[in-house]
Amino acid sequence: MTETIISSLTKEVRIGFEQPFVVIGERINPTGRKILANEMKHGDFSRVEADALAQVAAGAHMLDVNAGIPLADEPAILARAIKLVQSVTDVPLSIDSSIVAALEAGLAVYQGKALVNSVTGEDEQLERVLPLVAKHGAAVVAISNDETGISEDPNVRFEVARKIVERAADHGIASNDVVVDPLVMPIGAVGSAGKQVMHLLRRLREELQVNTTCGASNVSFGLPNRNGVNSAFLTMAIAAGMTSAISNPLHAEVMQAVHAADVIMGNDPNCANWISKYRESAPADAERGRRKRRRRPAG
Amino acid sequence: MTETIISSLTKEVRIGFEQPFVVIGERINPTGRKILANEMKHGDFSRVEADALAQVAAGAHMLDVNAGIPLADEPAILARAIKLVQSVTDVPLSIDSSIVAALEAGLAVYQGKALVNSVTGEDEQLERVLPLVAKHGAAVVAISNDETGISEDPNVRFEVARKIVERAADHGIASNDVVVDPLVMPIGAVGSAGKQVMHLLRRLREELQVNTTCGASNVSFGLPNRNGVNSAFLTMAIAAGMTSAISNPLHAEVMQAVHAADVIMGNDPNCANWISKYRESAPADAERGRRKRRRRPAG
């Protein structure tokens, strides 16, 4: 049974086929967040701290930490962000950068077993990132593209994933420490993106027997009511075998979908987590329940 | 490509692998609805009419009509309900009874090609219902239990489904006019119910190549926030290959899940249906919208 164990000094998270789905909070990322980028660049990490606490309170099992700010000292900023986040929360982290020196700086200060996010199937990247992952005894996210880009053919993406898993093994990294990201395209641009990913997730689980993750919010890019699309996508991907995702736990609708998917997959024994979280809801009709709650303060 | 065509005099619905998911409205059913049962028994069909109109307005593609009232003349009441519903809406109907005489009375007055709900794998039932389905050129829901009851083993349920499809063929009913109900147990009682059904749905689609349906609300029996569980279950079952369900279209959360699943499956070309239905939603975050609305009256 494939399990990827990620840890902080005091807490362990298991990503696995028979485990509750793992939500990796996506918020600590300056991409597209101008204010946060500017603050981080100038040494103000108060928003990073607030985002860390809010995401854990909302139920994130892990947090992704990214410091990709143009023209800034990314290795130093990433290391500082990781130290700060580890000082205020106990969830394990995903160290997120496309710059190898930043991954290195992050790993140097991280306490526990980190998830390195990420390595692609490009040979040069593999030869630089994998030794680092092996040296620190970390796990790694494998993104299924290579020098030729992202193939629209899910079977080509499968072969890239297989290549990364094999190359990781050459560096002494077991396949259960490789978490494959099958890459999710925006469905508004590529109508077959959903079916492609589900096909790929099934093959990754059944043939490569690896854990999987993805940047889930990408699927709804450009569409209205993105949480509605994201929630359905997550549950459907879980049905196809996905075991974790980098997503926004601050959206209650998305977290509810994940908790319900745990119930349907049989990974919430006796529905105990569901019942404890939602017993306040109207038993027959959540819609009606919401209307009631809204009405109460007014009446 | 498997397609089941159901029709009224003026409207055709296609249940199929490449079609948008078909929601069959469940509300016209006196089981557990005392007031409705009493009204129908005494010839008052005003609530039947209102339920028909409301479900179609909410997006139901078809309506299930059931008149199972103890100690009442079910065949006469069912026939009357069907005539009434067909006079006020144009969606095709599912004629729902466990009494063969009631199915017969319903079929006698139905205009178009109906979905007969249902036949089980019991020999006596098969020999009474299938000739009726064949005579009227209808389609039929096949429930995968038999004389031995409902097996917990999905592979036994698969064999019952196969038997019904074969027996239907003996009566001249093509397999694309048999819509299999794999039977969904309450997940609060049977923790493996979700995985069982998804496994069965996949086999029914890949091996028998039949359309599928189920009474979706059953999965959440006994749990809080049932719409949350039902929504996740529906999308996950759709990912596994389910093509229709008998469900409650009056729950906006459930309909949104179905529409989003159509998007992910690539069965909403250019996301046109999604965009037209949800373009009014807050683009980035529906939850935040709800929280704001809740907070406002208190502050």
Side-chain angles (χ1 to χ4, degrees):
Chain A
M1 203 47 62
T2 302
E3 273 195 353
T4 307
I5 299 176
I6 316 288
S7 63
S8 64
L9 263 188
T10 56
K11 202 166 198 166
E12 205 175 82
V13 164
R14 285 166 192 264
I15 304 173
F17 297 171
E18 313 280 317
Q19 296 292 332
F21 188 76
V22 171
V23 174
I24 306 169
E26 72 181 11
R27 292 293 290 160
I28 304 176
N29 189 331
T31 315
R33 296 182 71 189
K34 264 194 181 171
I35 299 171
L36 178 66
N38 203 43
E39 286 172 354
M40 287 173 81
K41 193 172 170 178
H42 293 94
D44 173 3
F45 286 77
S46 54
R47 198 178 301 265
V48 170
E49 182 175 337
D51 281 346
L53 294 173
Q55 290 184 97
V56 172
H61 307 94
M62 292 177 54
L63 297 178
D64 187 77
V65 181
N66 179 302
I69 304 160
L71 306 176
D73 182 358
E74 186 173 331
I77 299 175
L78 185 59
R80 195 164 153 202
I82 283 165
K83 278 171 85 169
L84 173 79
V85 173
Q86 286 213 297
S87 75
V88 297
T89 73
D90 62 356
V91 300
L93 304 185
S94 148
I95 302 175
D96 183 2
S97 180
S98 52
I99 294 174
V100 180
L103 295 176
E104 197 159 12
L107 280 164
V109 299
Y110 185 78
Q111 298 190 292
K113 179 182 169 189
L115 180 62
V116 172
N117 185 7
S118 56
V119 69
T120 67
E122 294 161 286
D123 286 317
E124 203 198 314
Q125 258 249 329
L126 287 166
E127 291 318 309
R128 294 185 64 201
V129 176
L130 292 179
L132 205 56
V133 171
K135 176 182 156 199
H136 288 272
V140 66
V141 173
I143 298 197
S144 49
N145 71 313
D146 62 12
E147 287 84 355
T148 63
I150 301 172
S151 172
E152 283 224 14
D153 180 349
N155 296 321
V156 171
R157 267 139 75 193
F158 179 83
E159 292 309 325
V160 175
R162 188 207 297 275
K163 170 185 163 184
I164 302 176
V165 168
E166 286 170 359
R167 204 66 73 83
D170 295 342
H171 287 268
I173 302 163
S175 66
N176 59 1
D177 275 333
V178 181
V179 179
V180 174
D181 180 344
L183 286 169
V184 182
M185 306 289 148
I187 195 124
V190 183
S192 60
K195 277 180 117 165
Q196 270 181 23
V197 166
M198 288 190 282
H199 173 77
L200 193 40
L201 285 167
R202 215 166 279 142
R203 286 197 69 191
L204 289 166
R205 175 149 178 170
E206 286 167 10
E207 297 174 47
L208 274 192
Q209 296 180 12
V210 289
N211 279 309
T212 43
T213 198
C214 77
S217 311
N218 204 29
V219 73
S220 62
F221 184 77
L223 292 177
N225 190 3
R226 292 188 66 174
N227 284 339
V229 177
N230 293 347
S231 301
F233 170 72
L234 276 170
T235 54
M236 295 169 86
I238 292 170
M242 191 166 73
T243 46
S244 72
I246 299 170
S247 187
N248 188 341
L250 302 180
H251 295 156
E253 198 174 349
V254 168
M255 290 306 283
Q256 176 181 299
V258 166
H259 295 142
D262 283 342
V263 169
I264 303 295
M265 294 299 282
N267 291 334
D268 179 2
N270 302 315
C271 308
N273 183 49
W274 181 264
I275 291 169
S276 80
K277 286 209 162 58
Y278 300 101
R279 76 176 116 212
E280 302 292 311
S281 308
D285 183 344
E287 283 304 310
R288 222 178 285 155
R290 272 208 292 277
R291 285 201 298 273
K292 265 184 211 148
R293 279 200 299 279
R294 255 185 250 148
R295 235 181 266 136
R296 209 179 291 149
Chain B
M1 203 48 61
T2 302
E3 274 195 353
T4 307
I5 299 176
I6 316 287
S7 64
S8 65
L9 264 188
T10 56
K11 202 165 198 166
E12 207 174 80
V13 165
R14 285 166 192 263
I15 304 173
F17 297 171
E18 311 282 317
Q19 297 292 331
F21 189 75
V22 171
V23 173
I24 307 170
E26 73 181 11
R27 292 294 291 159
I28 304 176
N29 189 331
T31 315
R33 297 184 70 190
K34 262 194 182 171
I35 299 171
L36 178 66
N38 202 43
E39 286 173 354
M40 287 173 82
K41 193 171 171 179
H42 293 95
D44 174 3
F45 286 77
S46 54
R47 196 177 303 265
V48 170
E49 183 176 337
D51 281 345
L53 295 172
Q55 290 183 99
V56 172
H61 306 95
M62 292 178 53
L63 297 178
D64 186 78
V65 181
N66 179 302
I69 304 159
L71 305 177
D73 183 357
E74 187 173 329
I77 298 175
L78 185 59
R80 198 166 151 199
I82 283 165
K83 279 171 84 168
L84 173 79
V85 173
Q86 286 215 296
S87 75
V88 297
T89 74
D90 62 355
V91 300
L93 304 185
S94 148
I95 301 175
D96 183 2
S97 178
S98 53
I99 294 173
V100 180
L103 295 177
E104 196 158 12
L107 281 164
V109 299
Y110 186 77
Q111 297 190 292
K113 179 182 170 190
L115 180 62
V116 172
N117 185 6
S118 57
V119 69
T120 67
E122 295 162 286
D123 286 316
E124 204 198 312
Q125 257 246 332
L126 287 166
E127 291 317 309
R128 293 185 65 200
V129 176
L130 293 180
L132 206 55
V133 172
K135 177 183 155 197
H136 288 273
V140 65
V141 173
I143 298 197
S144 50
N145 71 314
D146 62 10
E147 287 84 354
T148 62
I150 302 171
S151 173
E152 284 223 13
D153 180 349
N155 296 321
V156 171
R157 267 139 75 193
F158 179 82
E159 291 308 325
V160 175
R162 187 207 298 275
K163 170 185 164 183
I164 302 176
V165 169
E166 286 171 359
R167 204 65 74 83
D170 295 341
H171 287 269
I173 302 163
S175 67
N176 60 0
D177 276 333
V178 181
V179 179
V180 174
D181 180 343
L183 288 168
V184 183
M185 307 288 149
I187 196 123
V190 183
S192 59
K195 276 180 119 166
Q196 271 181 24
V197 166
M198 288 189 283
H199 173 77
L200 194 40
L201 285 167
R202 215 166 277 142
R203 287 197 67 192
L204 289 166
R205 176 151 177 167
E206 285 166 11
E207 298 176 46
L208 275 192
Q209 295 179 13
V210 289
N211 279 309
T212 43
T213 198
C214 77
S217 310
N218 204 31
V219 73
S220 61
F221 183 79
L223 292 178
N225 190 3
R226 292 189 65 175
N227 284 339
V229 177
N230 293 347
S231 300
F233 170 72
L234 275 170
T235 55
M236 295 169 86
I238 292 170
M242 191 166 73
T243 47
S244 73
I246 300 171
S247 188
N248 189 342
L250 301 181
H251 295 157
E253 197 173 351
V254 168
M255 290 306 284
Q256 175 182 299
V258 166
H259 296 143
D262 283 342
V263 168
I264 303 296
M265 294 298 283
N267 290 334
D268 178 1
N270 301 315
C271 309
N273 182 49
W274 180 265
I275 292 169
S276 80
K277 286 207 162 60
Y278 300 102
R279 75 176 117 213
E280 303 292 311
S281 309
D285 187 355
E287 280 308 305
R288 220 178 284 155
R290 270 208 291 280
R291 283 202 299 275
K292 266 185 210 149
R293 279 200 297 282
R294 253 186 249 150
R295 232 182 269 135
R296 209 180 291 149

